[in-house]
Amino acid sequence: MAQWGYTGDKGPDHWCEKFPDAKGKRQSPIDIVTTDTKVDASLGPLNIDYSSARCTEIFNNGFTFQVNAESGGTNLSGGPLSNNHRLAQFHCHWGSKDGQGSEHTVNGAPYDAELHLVHWNSDLFQSVGDALPKDKGLAVLTAFLKVGKENAGWSKLVALLNKVKCKDDKCCLEAGFDPTVLLPENKKDYWTYEGSLTTPPCYESARFIIYREPVEISAQQIKTLRDLLSYKQGGQAECGCPEHLGDNYRPTMPLNGRVVTASFQA
């Protein structure tokens, strides 16, 4: 039985009972109040290099899909980051219906989904496992998703999702996958702040970098996310848990005096 979930007595309000970091002062996600953000003129463009990325596997972990990457040959640096970071994996959070699903919100309004590309600090740590619980260990590149026109980049990912319908389903990516195709065109405008993992154990180790411009995907493309199942092949959903994956987002957490900085003037 899972130790945590998104509903009932395993939901976010109860995470801190088993995962004490979840009641820390630097938790994610947050609501980005645009009038309270501080413009930082020193925040230049990010350096994103996935040209040699080897995304090796996609799997359904019962909460979301996750695409794992071999970290060598990838790099995220620049912007608010003073170190080099390598891509470890990417995953998504989404709603069971339009109008909800993103973890972060902007002026109280959610998007339909949110993409997280998780990177670890390769200058300070030896592995993602080493970096995971440590301050300055992670950098999470984040893009909002909204339902609209079909997205060519997401079409490639949707084809893979059909192979991991049930929990624990895995599929090797022999042809690889370049996650750059999932990002917005405007990569200059972003918000950034110090936060945490948005799932247990909720370590306060993550620098979030959140693109201002959302990415549009079609209704059919987001339906592929919502069609993923929370249980193993031949099984059934755990008692009290939904059959399909969705609404797999943590509610926003208090800012607790943190400052959200912006690379752009609104």
Side-chain angles (χ1 to χ4, degrees):
M1 299 285 284
Q3 289 187 295
W4 62 274
Y6 290 98
T7 58
D9 59 4
K10 294 182 181 179
D13 289 344
H14 297 273
W15 289 355
C16 60
E17 296 166 10
K18 293 183 178 179
F19 307 97
D21 288 67
K23 56 184 176 184
K25 299 295 185 183
R26 211 179 86 181
Q27 290 291 292
S28 297
I30 60 168
D31 179 41
I32 300 168
V33 180
T34 54
T35 54
D36 293 341
T37 61
K38 181 181 178 181
V39 178
D40 184 347
S42 70
L43 287 177
L46 295 159
N47 301 313
I48 305 170
D49 183 5
Y50 296 149
S51 59
S52 301
R54 275 191 44 79
C55 293
T56 57
E57 176 186 70
I58 183 170
F59 79 103
N60 177 337
N61 62 17
F63 297 111
T64 183
F65 75 85
Q66 182 171 309
V67 176
N68 292 325
E70 291 181 357
S71 293
T74 65
N75 190 58
L76 175 67
S77 61
L81 303 174
S82 53
N83 297 112
N84 293 298
H85 294 71
R86 296 180 180 177
L87 179 66
Q89 53 99 341
F90 64 89
H91 62 271
C92 204
H93 303 264
W94 62 90
S96 59
K97 58 184 180 181
D98 294 356
Q100 62 192 48
S102 67
E103 297 210 294
H104 292 84
T105 56
V106 180
N107 297 323
Y111 284 91
D112 300 314
E114 181 173 320
L115 174 70
H116 289 171
L117 295 104
V118 181
H119 306 73
W120 58 279
N121 189 327
S122 56
D123 287 345
L124 300 182
F125 305 102
Q126 297 300 309
S127 68
V128 62
D130 184 26
L132 195 65
K134 309 287 180 51
D135 186 45
K136 301 188 187 307
L138 303 177
V140 183
L141 192 58
T142 303
F144 292 120
L145 307 175
K146 69 175 184 178
V147 176
K149 61 187 178 183
E150 183 170 330
N151 186 295
W154 271 84
S155 292
K156 300 175 184 178
L157 183 58
V158 163
L160 298 172
L161 292 175
N162 289 323
K163 300 180 180 180
V164 291
K165 189 86 171 197
C166 295
K167 180 181 178 181
D168 292 343
D169 284 355
K170 296 183 179 182
C171 177
C172 291
L173 306 184
E174 295 180 2
F177 186 89
D178 182 356
T180 307
V181 301
L182 307 177
L183 300 178
E185 289 185 19
N186 179 359
K187 299 179 180 62
K188 295 185 299 181
D189 295 354
Y190 58 84
W191 298 284
T192 182
Y193 77 100
E194 295 282 2
S196 74
L197 302 180
T198 64
T199 57
C202 300
Y203 294 136
E204 294 182 333
S205 56
R207 159 68 68 172
F208 273 88
I209 302 167
I210 305 169
Y211 285 122
R212 178 190 193 186
E213 178 183 280
V215 174
E216 283 192 37
I217 63 175
S218 71
Q220 184 59 43
Q221 287 174 322
I222 201 169
K223 183 179 183 296
T224 307
L225 297 177
R226 295 169 181 163
D227 284 345
L228 295 176
L229 299 173
S230 66
Y231 56 86
K232 298 181 181 182
Q233 289 188 34
Q236 59 185 11
E238 289 186 14
C239 182
C241 294
E243 178 180 348
H244 291 90
L245 299 187
D247 298 331
N248 52 358
Y249 57 93
R250 187 187 193 186
T252 55
M253 305 299 291
L255 200 56
N256 290 322
R258 289 173 287 173
V259 176
V260 179
T261 53
S263 68
F264 59 95
Q265 182 72 51

